[in-house]
Amino acid sequence: QVQVVESGGGLVQAGGSLRLSCTTPGLNFDNYGMAWFRQAPGKEREGISCIVHRGGTTLYSDSVKGRFTIWRDNDKNTLYLQMNSLKPEDTAMYYCAAAPYFYCLGSWSSGGVYRHWGQGTQVTVSS
């Protein structure tokens, strides 16, 4: 059974940093493109970053570009998101998602291509 488990969220002051992790027990991790999404209360889910299944190519939304970094360790079946220069508007539940053989093309940020989702980890940025 595939699981997607996020961790690393918490409360941080504006300007601070957090690192999120996403482990994927039961998933053939090498064969999955991975992405991070977030959803704030009352707002639509937002795709913020994607990395292709073999690593290398990464994409970011304009809202996080230059502040967040996505990478993956295929030996550890783990996805990461380093978040720097955090802002109060980054406050949201953050989700990890997996899509088979995905090259982060086209509608990567819309969510429809992802087969597996985690339960999320809360990130709260205080001003």
Side-chain angles (χ1 to χ4, degrees), residues 2-3 11 19-20 28 32 37 42 48 55 57 59 72 74 99 111 114 120 124:
V2 172
Q3 289 183 287
L11 174 64
R19 179 178 295 181
L20 305 184
N28 194 348
Y32 279 77
F37 286 77
I48 58 172
T57 299
L59 295 174
R72 61 191 295 158
N74 284 0
Y114 300 93
T124 302

Side-chain angles (χ1 to χ4, degrees), residues 2-5 21-36 51-55 70-81 96-102 116:
V2 172
Q3 289 183 287
V4 178
V5 183
S21 299
C22 171
T23 58
T24 59
L27 188 73
N28 194 348
F29 189 72
D30 287 14
N31 293 337
Y32 279 77
M34 302 296 295
W36 287 100
I51 185 167
V52 302
H53 62 290
R54 293 291 182 182
I70 188 172
W71 76 99
R72 61 191 295 158
D73 186 334
N74 284 0
D75 290 336
K76 296 182 179 180
N77 285 13
T78 302
L79 176 73
Y80 300 95
L81 184 71
C96 173
Y101 302 105
F102 189 50
H116 304 287

Side-chain angles (χ1 to χ4, degrees), residues 54-102:
R54 293 291 182 182
T57 299
T58 57
L59 295 174
Y60 298 92
S61 66
D62 288 342
S63 60
V64 306
K65 195 175 298 180
R67 299 187 297 122
F68 291 9
T69 302
I70 188 172
W71 76 99
R72 61 191 295 158
D73 186 334
N74 284 0
D75 290 336
K76 296 182 179 180
N77 285 13
T78 302
L79 176 73
Y80 300 95
L81 184 71
Q82 179 67 40
M83 306 187 296
N84 296 331
S85 302
L86 283 162
K87 306 174 182 179
E89 52 263 44
D90 293 317
T91 295
M93 187 71 79
Y94 283 70
Y95 299 92
C96 173
Y101 302 105
F102 189 50

